[in-house]
Each structure stands twice: as structure tokens, then as C-alpha cells.
Amino acid sequence: MNPWANTEHPLDERVDALLDEMTLAEMAGQLGAFWPRPKERAEGGGEVAPMESVMSSGEFEEVSRDGLGHLTRVFGSAPVSVEEGVGNLASFQSRVVEHSRFDIPAIAHEECLTGLTAWRATVYPAAIAWGATFDPALIEEMASAIGQDMAALGVHQGLSPLLDVVRDYRWGRVEETIGEDPMLVGTVGTAYVKGLQGAGVLATLKHFVGYSASRAGRNHAPVSIGTREIEDILLPPFEMAVREGKVASVMNSYSDLDGVPAAASRHLLTHVLRERWGFEGTVVSDYWSVSFLQAMHRVVDDLTEAGALSLHAGMDVELPETGAFGHLEEAVERGILTESDIRQAARRVLRQKIQLGLLDEGWDPATAGAAVDLDSRRNRDIARRVAEESIVLLANDQNLLPLQAKSIALVGPTADDALTFLGCYSFPNHVMQRHPDMEMGLDMLSLADAVRAEFAGLRSPSSGACPSSSPTPPGSPPRWRPPGTPRSPSWPSATRPACSATAPPARAATPSTSASPAPRPTSSRPSSPPAPRRCCWWSRVAPTRSARSRTGRPPSSRPSCPAPRAAWRWRGCCPAA
């Protein structure tokens, strides 16, 4: 038995014994990753991540020839059944082991911000709801359930939680955060870490650090804040999760902090994280952020320099694919990186693999994962409790609850769209929008359907006023409905449906809530609206960009998306007859 496979030996001895046998290329191989993306995405269609097609790094055989550190999102890149995903992961792991002289498999990672990002997996409330529960124990229970499902499949690492403290509500990723209070973010985030890692899955803190404080709330924009704000507001949640949660991994921010990209900051990745806080895990790059040192930040001349700068700063693994880290040997030859830098990073990666049991005698990729129910009753119960606890009523002085009403009006374009209540990182929103011909894989109710079910004796909950913003124009495909529900026909594409001859050519005022207007059409619209009902109309204008240029396919193939907004102009509503 090889000493690194002997569980009787101390952990550090096993790691050192393996490193002593490895070549520089084999150590460097442990610092890279491969993303088995679907063929159509590799060719530039239906991307899940920004710049996905232009940042491709190479074929599997090339990337893994000297070993591989990580496998990226085998379950979370396309809608595959649980059985198919387990088989795909086992197949890739077998090939990784075959390419390694030492039979070293890869760490498989997945997104898990709203639960495991996979087809037919339970979607839990977004992180902003975790904070609203003010219940760390409940969030730990949720994370444990997520981790148990991931571990059963053979997944080793989850890219959550997100510990960015909200500083500007214009920032488009606020819903992914836990909130704006450092103590709340740190406490709830640490509970998530404990739950996930207690189930055997490595947690990953992100985005270290400053991402949420970008100028004007723009994504990837520079961060210009002082030392006190960094130390008092942004760093404490990460420190809490490192010191108290013993988190296993940290992911860098895309932004630069006072002109220094986080992916190249030795101060952040080594001095603060390791020397001050005693972090012993791995630092993994946010997707393509090492290559962005050249492409976006322009602080280096080529990928070789990018890889050397980031690795020396404290980065251990490049995700989602090997790009700049594929040039580490060249960096050593050019004298801008030392072999000890590569060995140190490889040591951290191999240490985690041994802790996960991946190098134990008898580990078999064929039996490392098994198909499980990813949307179990237990999961649904936890998700419901988190959602219920996240609803905060500051006062009930007027006896608003329990709700007593003779009729309920739901105003707005999202009442009959279940997807609007799921987080942006949920699989239905993050991936399934690129697969319009497939079922979402989950039974979901829209708000309108849920209100109908809860208040069965009331008048139609979608009755009443004009929408608060333009509803789906005529001629557009209807929004997605739960599996098994027939799609309703679209309104005719006439410029204006029939209504009162005296209708004003302007948007009508919203009637008083005390009135009882006739129901307006909902997602189940008739082929032409009945005369006494309220009706709305649009006029066709030339779009600035075609639907194909924005989405890669014509509107008719996008059942969950309206036609391009520029193609229709809101004209208003007729008064009720």
C-alpha cells in the first residue's frame, strides 16, 4: 500500500509522501479544473456564465493529462436526470484517475446558493430570506439537508455561502446576500457553513472581499473604500466563518480593491486570510478571475504572468477551467514563480482530497455516488419553513392578519409566473431558461394559483386593475406553467383587441379597490376578450435589436420570456364596460 493511501499514517505525512513523488507538472495539474459543458454551450450558445464561450480552455484529455484538481458542475450545467448525472460524474472521475500516476480523483464542485443547482432539486429561498429569518439554527438545518443530498451524489464542494455585506442596493446581486448587517451576515453564514460541512461537503465563502461595495453598484466595478470600512463592515463575516465555522474554502472577488485585484492581492489572500485568521483551506478563483487579470484588469501582459501573480498571492485552484494555471511551468522557467509556490498550493489541494477520503485504499469512482430524491418531502418542509420564517410583519395593530377579504386583487405582471419567486441561482432560472422545450422538473405554484387554493371561496384573485407594468404583449408566448398544465393560447396579434368604441387612447387610471370590476384576462386568456371585460392594448414598433440577437433563438421558442420590450409600446386599458 502506498503511504499516502494508508489511513493509519498522519495526514501531513501522507500529503508529503505524495508530493515527494510528484513532478512539477503533476503538482500543477492539481491546481486546475475542467468544465464538461454541453456541446452547444461550448460553441457559444446558451451560456450559463458570462464570457463562457470565449474563456474556454481546452479539451478534457489535454487539461487532465497530468492530473486534475476540480470537476466543475457536472450536475449543474444542463438538465440531466439524477441517474445520468451520477453516471457522468463516475465516468469523468474514472478518466481522471486513469490519467494520474497516483490514482488521484478530482474534487467535484457545484453551486448551492438556493439548494443544489441541479435539475429536479428542491429550490430553497434565496439568501436574502435567510437573513430575514434571524434563525441560524434553521439555516444550519437547511444547509445540512443540501449537503446530505450533494454528498450522496458524490459531490465534494459547494460554492456557498455568499458573505458580501450589502452596501448599495443598486448592486444587482443583493438577493444573493444575507443582508446589510455584518453580524447578521456572519452569524447566519457561519451556520450555513457548519450545516454544509457537517454533512461532508466543503463550503466556500464568497466573494472575498469588497464585491458588494463596487462603485455605483455596478458588477465587477472597482471598489474605493477606506480601511476602516473594510475592517469593520466587510471582513468580519468572513473572519467569523473562518475562525468559528472552520470553513474549508474561500473564493475571491472579481473587483479590485483600491486598485489591486482581489485575485492578485497577497495582502488579502495570504496576510489577512492565512496569517491573521489562521485559515488552512484552499482559495479557489471565481470563474475566470485569474484570466481576468489580463483581460479585464490589465495588470499583466499575458496568461503566464496572470497565473504566476495570482498563485504567488495565495490562489490555489483556478475555476471553472484551467486557463492561466496551464502556464505555471512556463512561469517557473521564466523566473517569475518558484516551484515552492506550486508545491504549497498543491499541498493544500491534496490535503483536502485526503481529508475527503479520495485517496484512501479502495476508493472507487463507480460507487462514490448514488441516485437520491433531490426534491424530497424533508427538503420541501425545510424550504417552506425558511420561506415562512423569512416573512416579517413589524406590527399587526390594524389586525391585518389573519387576512379577511371578500375579494383579492393581484396587480402586476408576475402574479402568474412561478419563476419570479425563485432566486436567480436556482436551476429553473439559471439553466432551464436555455432549455425551453423541457419541463422545469419541479411542481411549482404561481402566486395567483396559491392564492386561489388558499382562498378558494373568494372571487378570482387576478381580478381588478390594470397591471402595474406592461403585461406580456399579444403574440408573445405565454409564461411557463407547471408541468402538466396546458399552455393557454396567446391573444391575437392585432394592434388593438376589440373594446368600447369610446375608449380613450391613453392608459386608464387604476380603479378604487372598493370597486368590483369584472375580471381581466389572466394567463388563461381567451382567443378574444369578452366585451364587458377590461382589455389592454399595445402597438407594434420596430425593435432596436432582434429577439435572436438577445437570446439566440426566436421568441416563439421562449415560453417563459416575453417578446423584446422594444418591440411593443404600452397604450393603456379600456374602462370596464
Side-chain angles (χ1 to χ4, degrees), residues 16 35 60 222 301 319 348 352 395 425 511 543 553:
D16 289 332
W35 190 354
F60 176 80
D301 291 330
L319 300 181
R348 295 173 185 139
Q352 285 190 339
Y425 255 90
R553 55 184 176 272

Side-chain angles (χ1 to χ4, degrees), residues 451-526:
V451 171
R452 288 189 186 99
E454 184 74 14
F455 301 93
L458 297 186
R459 197 176 301 170
S460 173
S462 58
S463 303
C466 284
S468 58
S469 62
S470 304
T472 304
S476 299
R479 291 184 180 272
W480 177 83
R481 303 289 293 167
T485 303
R487 296 189 183 278
S488 57
S490 301
W491 279 15
S493 57
T495 301
R496 175 177 172 182
C499 63
S500 171
T502 60
R507 189 169 185 174
T510 300
S512 169
T513 55
S514 61
S516 300
R520 69 173 177 85
T522 63
S523 60
S524 300
R525 292 172 175 138

Side-chain angles (χ1 to χ4, degrees), residues 398-455:
Q398 303 301 318
N399 296 318
L400 177 65
L401 295 180
L403 186 63
Q404 301 291 331
K406 295 181 179 179
S407 63
I408 300 174
L410 298 182
V411 181
T414 64
D416 63 347
D417 186 357
L419 294 180
T420 62
F421 297 95
L422 306 183
C424 64
Y425 255 90
S426 66
F427 195 83
N429 281 328
H430 195 54
V431 178
M432 288 306 296
Q433 297 296 316
R434 294 153 183 85
H435 301 272
D437 297 329
M438 295 188 65
E439 288 188 352
M440 288 292 168
L442 292 173
D443 291 327
M444 297 184 289
L445 288 178
S446 69
L447 179 59
D449 292 334
V451 171
R452 288 189 186 99
E454 184 74 14
F455 301 93

Side-chain angles (χ1 to χ4, degrees), residues 68-289:
L68 191 67
H70 275 238
L71 279 167
T72 297
R73 297 183 64 172
V74 175
F75 288 89
S77 299
V80 296
S81 67
V82 177
E83 293 78 9
E84 185 179 358
V86 170
N88 290 343
L89 181 56
S91 175
F92 276 110
Q93 288 284 37
S94 295
R95 294 164 66 187
V96 172
V97 169
E98 289 173 3
H99 289 185
S100 170
R101 287 196 300 136
F102 308 101
D103 298 334
I104 306 173
I107 290 175
H109 76 257
E110 297 284 348
E111 295 282 1
C112 57
L113 189 61
T114 57
L116 172 62
T117 305
W119 196 41
R120 292 179 173 169
T122 301
V123 176
Y124 295 85
I128 196 70
W130 309 352
T133 68
F134 295 91
D135 191 341
L138 178 58
I139 302 308
E140 183 173 347
E141 180 185 358
M142 178 192 73
S144 177
I146 296 170
Q148 290 172 41
D149 285 344
M150 296 172 72
L153 299 176
V155 176
H156 311 107
Q157 183 164 344
L159 303 187
S160 290
L162 192 148
L163 298 189
D164 296 301
V165 179
V166 176
R167 305 302 291 161
D168 187 334
Y169 280 97
R170 293 174 296 178
W171 189 50
R173 304 188 71 170
V174 168
E175 76 157 57
E176 300 174 47
T177 73
I178 298 172
E180 61 185 357
D181 180 82
M183 186 65 180
L184 177 66
V185 173
T187 302
V188 173
T190 299
Y192 185 99
V193 169
K194 292 179 178 179
L196 197 71
Q197 295 190 166
V201 174
L202 310 180
T204 308
L205 309 182
K206 58 187 187 182
H207 305 87
F208 191 69
V209 62
Y211 194 28
S212 58
S214 57
R215 293 179 191 169
R218 294 175 297 142
N219 201 31
H220 291 215
V223 176
S224 301
I225 57 178
T227 301
R228 181 172 179 176
E229 185 174 352
I230 295 171
E231 294 286 345
D232 288 355
I233 304 296
L234 301 183
L235 287 180
F238 290 92
E239 182 177 7
M240 188 182 299
V242 169
R243 293 185 184 274
E244 297 183 13
K246 306 300 180 184
V247 72
S249 192
V250 173
M251 175 179 281
N252 69 284
S253 163
Y254 280 124
S255 302
D256 69 67
L257 194 59
D258 196 22
V260 179
S265 174
R266 188 168 177 82
H267 169 70
L268 290 175
L269 304 186
T270 297
H271 174 63
V272 173
L273 194 56
R274 300 188 187 281
E275 296 175 3
R276 272 176 51 182
W277 298 347
F279 177 65
E280 296 182 347
T282 56
V283 177
V284 300
S285 77
D286 204 345
Y287 284 14
W288 300 296
S289 60

